[in-house]
Amino acid sequence: MSAALVAPDLPATRRDVWRHRAIVANLVAQIGIVVTGGAVRLTASGLGCSTWPMCEPGAFTPVRHAAATGHSFIEFGNRTLTGVLGVIALAVAYLVWTNRSRDDGYRKLGLAPLLGVALQALVGGVTVLLDLHPAVVAVHMLISLALISVSTLLLRREREGDGPAHTVVGPAIVRAGGLLAGVAVVLLSLGVIVTGAGPHGGDDDVAYRFAVDPALMSRLHALAVWVFCGVLAVILVALWRTGAPAAVRRSGILLAAVTLAQGLVGYVQYFTGLPALLVGVHMLGAGLLAAALPWFLVSLRARAQATFPDTAGDDPGRVGSPAVA
């Protein structure tokens, strides 16, 4: 893209503010779409729109008739929110890519949410065309969790410089962080399989489920959670014993809080028969965990801070860059 695409009449500091806001909005929306997608599933509205990309044959929006139910409006509402997320991701892509002061790695990362949303729209269409096959629904969810993680990395990367990264903790903690990430992939994947084997199939008439024992998969998922908690506990103890930076310890505490809350909800929903509301809360927790984990892992290293224009001058029209996340 040419430099002319960067609005010349917009002060650089104001662009910084809008870029930051767009990146934050993208992360919030990526988590939010998991919740609204879960609402579609938990209200059995997954086939509320019978086809894709139209809602009904010959109609883009739900058609009101005597046999119509609220399911079509719930499903169409989620599709509409996907469009809103697409607009936000497009804004992020533009504002990040046209930031010529940053390196290619950061600028390319800014394109990831837009590409991911486009992919999700296609996968969402396939889920409808294949009558909510659990494997496709599972892929749909895993992509959302990956997009949340990527959006979190983009938010952290925005506030850094472009110099080489260097660790701020010992190598043993870094290796343990890698192990933690690996366990997280396993536990989130098992959680998606548990959901795909459970009672909430997204439609009252067509509800294909994974042909596995839900109780066994739940136990395996719980085991992965306990392993994750054990590795995280070891890391947290090491952070305090080695005097790690306060920002790293705060990120670790945040991750621990999200993990414990998610585990509590998981056990309560299991022993209360998987009520839809708690399953929805658990899906929200999965999104928060997918954000809290990379936030913590990235805090284990640092780069030179990005340089922003000085806003302490006398020009009242200038807007300062937002505080470092």
Side-chain angles (χ1 to χ4, degrees):
M1 294 184 182
S2 68
L5 289 178
V6 182
D9 58 336
L10 195 61
T13 49
R14 193 176 298 276
R15 278 201 306 274
D16 291 337
V17 170
W18 282 107
R19 186 184 306 114
H20 179 76
R21 289 174 177 173
I23 291 173
V24 170
N26 170 67
L27 176 56
V28 172
Q30 295 287 0
I31 296 174
I33 204 72
V34 169
V35 177
T36 60
V40 170
R41 180 175 193 155
L42 297 171
T43 58
S45 302
L47 295 178
C49 288
S50 62
T51 188
W52 183 91
M54 310 293 279
C55 183
E56 301 293 345
F60 182 74
T61 59
V63 177
R64 293 181 179 272
H65 51 80
T69 67
H71 295 319
S72 59
F73 295 96
I74 295 173
E75 164 64 8
F76 183 74
N78 186 61
R79 293 187 183 188
T80 302
L81 289 175
T82 301
V84 173
L85 177 56
V87 171
I88 295 173
L90 182 62
V92 169
Y94 172 77
L95 291 168
V96 172
W97 182 256
T98 55
N99 185 8
R100 296 286 184 174
S101 66
R102 300 297 301 273
D103 70 0
D104 288 344
Y106 165 75
R107 295 168 64 227
K108 290 177 181 177
L109 187 61
L111 302 178
L114 180 60
L115 297 176
V117 171
L119 175 61
Q120 279 291 69
L122 294 175
V123 175
V126 172
T127 63
V128 174
L129 298 177
L130 294 182
D131 293 330
L132 308 180
H133 191 285
V136 183
V137 176
V139 170
H140 202 34
M141 178 64 174
L142 290 173
I143 293 174
S144 283
L145 295 176
L147 280 171
I148 291 171
S149 295
V150 169
S151 297
T152 302
L153 293 175
L154 177 61
L155 179 59
R156 288 300 299 247
R157 189 76 172 81
E158 179 214 8
R159 307 313 301 164
E160 296 179 328
D162 294 323
H166 62 276
T167 58
V168 296
V169 296
I173 296 177
V174 173
R175 288 194 295 270
L179 175 61
L180 189 70
V183 175
V185 171
V186 173
L187 77 86
L188 289 172
S189 299
L190 287 172
V192 171
I193 294 174
V194 169
T195 303
H200 303 290
D203 185 80
D204 291 331
D205 298 319
V206 179
Y208 305 115
R209 317 306 296 133
F210 283 126
V212 296
D213 182 356
L216 174 62
M217 298 309 301
S218 295
R219 294 189 184 98
L220 291 175
H221 176 55
L223 176 61
V225 172
W226 280 109
V227 173
F228 183 88
C229 290
V231 175
L232 179 57
V234 170
I235 292 175
L236 291 177
V237 170
L239 290 177
W240 258 262
R241 284 186 173 178
T242 58
V248 179
R249 287 179 283 164
R250 286 196 300 269
S251 297
I253 291 296
L254 174 63
L255 176 59
V258 171
T259 302
L260 292 176
Q262 179 72 333
L264 176 62
V265 172
Y267 273 106
V268 172
Q269 71 167 7
Y270 179 80
F271 288 111
T272 55
L274 301 176
L277 180 60
L278 281 182
V279 175
V281 173
H282 202 50
M283 293 181 71
L284 170 61
L288 295 176
L289 182 63
L293 177 60
W295 187 271
F296 169 67
L297 294 177
V298 173
S299 74
L300 300 180
R301 59 104 177 107
R303 299 174 186 264
Q305 288 294 326
T307 301
F308 293 95
D310 183 11
T311 60
D314 297 327
D315 183 357
R318 296 180 57 132
V319 179
S321 61
V324 174

